[in-house]
Amino acid sequence: MNEVGSKPTVETFNSLIHTFARGGLYKESEAIFWRMGECGIMQNSDSFNGIIEGFRQGGQFEEAIKAYVEMEKARCDPDERTLEAVLSVYCFADLIDESEEQFQEIKALGILPSVMCYCMMLAVYARGDRWDDAYKLLDEMLTNRASNIHQVIGKMIKGDYDDDSNWQMVEYVFDKLKSEGCGLGIRFYNTLLEALWWLGQKERGARVLNEATKRGLFPELFRKNKLVWSVDVHRMWAGGACTAISIWLNNMYAMFKNGEDLPQLATVVVVRGQMEKSSITRDFPIAKATYPFLKDNVSSSFCFPGWNKGRIICQRPQLKRILSATERSSERSENDKLITLINSPFPLLGTRTPPSDVSGDQRGSADSESRIRMTTELMTSMV
């Protein structure tokens, strides 16, 4: 672009910011953001939205909220996308109270929270075993007369459209959203898959992920050649990543049973870019979600290699041993999958686990929560 003498516009810079942000490459996003100022181009709400989302995807929750504070100080009015981005920060950090406050603030402004906002709240409630709150919110979606999309997605989450003839209603919504562009599509499917995973609707989540890839999203997701079989989840949220890894492992197991040769390496891509060289990538939300998932559900043979901190790998000998053991075990049972994906019944109404009974992994570390609370107080006092 520079070579042909074409000057970048605010849209050019924002496109770059969001491209890096979706993969959690917050340092690259921030560099582009400051480069805008050096070029004399004023940052707008879309610029700040990308920075907030980049910090969130990279697990830098405090910095994400600080960016929101800076947005207000720069007299840049937040838009609906901004409010959604801030809500996603609180949901990533498992801060239920702050998530609720942000959700209610969106409503107080006379804005109907998007389907993405509803899905984020469903996920954070489910992770915290706040099932009564989740039911209430789901019912809100089902009875929403202002938006057919909210109704259809709410019914799909409950399983009302599982029949092939009814699933056409879901496909119609997905096709309509496709016309809104890739950026919205990634946000929509990430939040929907997050809700389905934590609500225990994992088979339904696998079906939704298939619909997303059919519509051209996450083209990097599955790769297969003689040397490497990979699943790239660096642009996904935890629920979508675990869903994708489960499908990948089950496909790998099916190919193994059919006699296909195993690759030299099976790899899960959790981070891309310069961050691959840094050990801090282990603290990225996606890495922190997928690594324990692999160790707990498959094998401790999956590990971070010394040559790339953005990959979780398993070598061929260990992979063959895992799949062979699963095959022997499956001969004694009806289960022919490495990872079982089912739709679990929703817990009964009245189920609510006290905060002290929820594990630390579900609610996030106390240190992280404290930092976010302090920054939220800072935001309140400065704006």
Side-chain angles (χ1 to χ4, degrees):
M1 190 174 190
N2 288 323
E3 288 177 359
V4 298
S6 179
K7 293 184 178 180
T9 64
V10 64
E11 288 80 12
T12 308
F13 282 105
N14 287 343
S15 294
L16 289 170
I17 288 172
H18 282 278
T19 297
F20 287 124
R22 291 186 190 115
L25 301 179
Y26 55 86
K27 291 184 178 180
E28 288 86 342
S29 292
E30 197 173 23
I32 297 295
F33 183 84
W34 294 119
R35 179 64 177 161
M36 290 179 74
E38 294 171 1
C39 293
I41 296 177
M42 185 70 70
Q43 297 97 342
N44 61 15
S45 59
D46 198 31
S47 312
F48 280 98
N49 294 344
I51 290 295
I52 293 169
E53 292 174 5
F55 280 130
R56 179 216 65 213
Q57 191 72 10
Q60 305 298 304
F61 305 135
E62 183 178 2
E63 295 301 318
I65 300 301
K66 282 183 178 179
Y68 181 46
V69 173
E70 290 299 319
M71 182 180 185
E72 296 282 1
K73 289 170 65 178
R75 301 184 183 279
C76 186
D77 294 332
D79 56 18
E80 187 175 347
R81 172 89 176 265
T82 312
L83 301 175
E84 178 190 311
V86 173
L87 175 60
S88 73
V89 175
Y90 293 137
C91 290
F92 257 60
D94 270 332
L95 301 179
I96 299 179
D97 292 342
E98 286 81 353
S99 298
E100 285 181 323
E101 289 173 10
Q102 183 68 13
F103 189 76
Q104 293 304 322
E105 181 181 336
I106 294 172
K107 286 184 173 181
L109 292 172
I111 300 171
L112 171 65
S114 65
V115 170
M116 286 80 79
C117 292
Y118 273 94
C119 287
M120 282 187 265
M121 290 304 302
L122 287 171
V124 80
Y125 281 144
R127 284 200 301 271
D129 285 338
R130 297 269 291 270
W131 290 102
D132 282 1
D133 293 322
Y135 278 125
K136 181 180 177 182
L137 201 65
L138 194 54
D139 186 61
E140 213 173 275
M141 294 181 72
L142 297 174
T143 57
N144 192 318
R145 296 182 179 180
S147 170
N148 288 332
I149 291 179
H150 285 68
Q151 293 180 26
V152 171
I153 296 303
K155 289 181 179 180
M156 185 274 290
I157 290 172
K158 286 189 66 180
D160 293 348
Y161 289 142
D162 283 350
D163 184 82
D164 286 342
S165 58
N166 292 329
W167 190 257
Q168 293 178 3
M169 290 288 292
V170 181
E171 291 177 319
Y172 173 78
V173 169
F174 290 168
D175 289 337
K176 185 176 181 180
L177 289 169
K178 180 183 178 181
S179 65
E180 299 294 329
C182 177
L184 184 139
I186 288 176
R187 292 183 357 251
F188 169 74
Y189 284 104
N190 266 328
T191 53
L192 178 54
L193 289 166
E194 186 80 357
L196 289 167
W197 181 266
W198 295 109
L199 289 169
Q201 311 308 301
K202 298 177 181 179
E203 183 180 6
R204 206 164 290 127
R207 190 174 187 181
V208 167
L209 181 56
N210 181 56
E211 295 288 351
T213 56
K214 279 165 56 176
R215 286 162 178 79
L217 294 171
F218 308 110
E220 72 278 7
L221 193 55
F222 301 115
R223 289 285 183 269
K224 176 177 176 284
N225 58 45
K226 292 182 178 180
L227 295 178
V228 180
W229 291 354
S230 70
V231 56
D232 188 334
V233 296
H234 82 283
R235 295 197 298 163
M236 306 188 86
W237 292 20
C242 291
T243 301
I245 290 171
S246 299
I247 295 170
W248 176 68
L249 289 167
N250 287 339
N251 289 343
M252 190 186 304
Y253 179 53
M255 288 185 284
F256 172 74
K257 288 179 66 177
N258 288 334
E260 292 193 38
D261 289 336
L262 293 175
Q264 295 299 316
L265 197 68
T267 178
V268 179
V269 181
V270 293
V271 176
R272 282 195 177 275
Q274 291 297 314
M275 290 290 190
E276 295 177 20
K277 302 175 183 178
S278 174
S279 59
I280 66 171
T281 57
R282 294 193 182 197
D283 292 327
F284 271 46
I286 291 301
K288 291 172 72 173
T290 54
Y291 184 55
F293 176 76
L294 286 163
K295 292 183 76 70
D296 294 344
N297 293 279
V298 187
S299 169
S300 59
S301 296
F302 279 91
C303 63
F304 287 96
W307 47 270
N308 192 312
K309 310 300 182 184
R311 306 286 190 273
I312 305 172
I313 68 166
C314 184
Q315 302 281 354
R316 175 175 176 157
Q318 291 83 6
L319 186 62
K320 184 175 182 179
R321 186 168 62 247
I322 294 166
L323 298 177
S324 297
T326 304
E327 185 176 32
R328 289 193 297 270
S329 176
S330 65
E331 290 174 355
R332 299 189 295 270
S333 67
E334 297 181 357
N335 185 20
D336 61 348
K337 303 287 186 182
L338 195 60
I339 303 291
T340 303
L341 294 174
I342 61 171
N343 298 320
S344 302
F346 283 91
L348 297 173
L349 282 171
T351 302
R352 175 171 175 164
T353 303
S356 59
D357 292 343
V358 180
S359 71
D361 286 342
Q362 287 177 303
R363 294 184 61 82
S365 68
D367 181 59
S368 173
E369 183 169 344
S370 175
R371 290 201 311 272
I372 300 296
R373 287 183 186 276
M374 289 174 62
T375 311
T376 306
E377 292 170 2
L378 174 67
M379 179 179 68
T380 305
S381 64
M382 294 181 67
V383 174

